[in-house]
Amino acid sequence: MSIEAMWQAEFNPETDVINKVGSKDNWYQKASDFWDKEEASIKGVLGGHDYLHEPDIRDSERFLLPFLKSQTIGNDRALDCGAGIGRVAQHLLMKHFKKVDLVDQCAKYIEEARRLLGNEPNIGEFYVAGLQDLQLKERYDLIWVQWVCIYLTDDDFVRFLNTCKGHLKENGILVLKENLTKTGFIV
């Protein structure tokens, strides 16, 4: 099934699809409902796979360091998209950037991130917003997007990337880490 066929089936009221989303609003509500039920912890934001935390941070830092050491990018400001409780911000980005902003659609995650990190001198803004609705004020040396784009519709994903492009500093980079499935679509 093509991506176009999947969206037609999902949004067409006459198709027979198990667990059909039905509309764009329902697509986002389904994701929101899922994450609202998960606990505000590393285990919760990793969907019960907290054993991935340390290797993820280690390998992410291994990826990021050459850009910083070569001064390919600056280290003034980073944005953590899909930040959850601030796991990536706290364990990776705050070590390397003067200011780090966080965005997540789940208010309880951002509240926990604010509780954990809000008094840190290099924490900037906390945004409660889905990436489909994200409006930024700053320009960034780095925009880190991890395990969150799967929740965007295709059109909103393109809009989000354009938003990022407009808020990157000269020589800024966007890092996109995403999960994938070997077959089919899971909605």
Side-chain angles (χ1 to χ4, degrees), residues 127-176:
Y127 297 100
V128 177
L131 299 184
Q132 71 276 10
D133 300 318
L134 186 60
Q135 295 182 1
L136 298 170
K137 299 182 255 182
E138 304 292 339
R139 291 177 55 85
Y140 297 95
D141 297 295
L142 173 77
I143 299 177
W144 191 274
V145 185
Q146 182 164 339
W147 300 338
V148 67
C149 290
I150 60 173
Y151 300 105
L152 293 172
T153 65
D154 301 332
D155 292 342
D156 285 340
F157 178 58
V158 171
R159 271 192 290 284
F160 167 69
L161 290 176
N162 283 321
T163 297
C164 291
K165 180 180 175 185
H167 288 273
L168 282 172
K169 292 181 179 180
E170 186 174 339
N171 298 322
I173 63 171
L174 175 114
V175 173
L176 177 62

Side-chain angles (χ1 to χ4, degrees), residues 44-64:
V45 298
L46 291 178
H49 302 286
D50 49 322
Y51 60 89
L52 293 173
H53 170 67
E54 288 183 29
D56 171 60
I57 296 298
R58 181 189 62 237
D59 292 343
S60 293
E61 189 163 45
R62 191 177 297 150
F63 175 81
L64 180 60

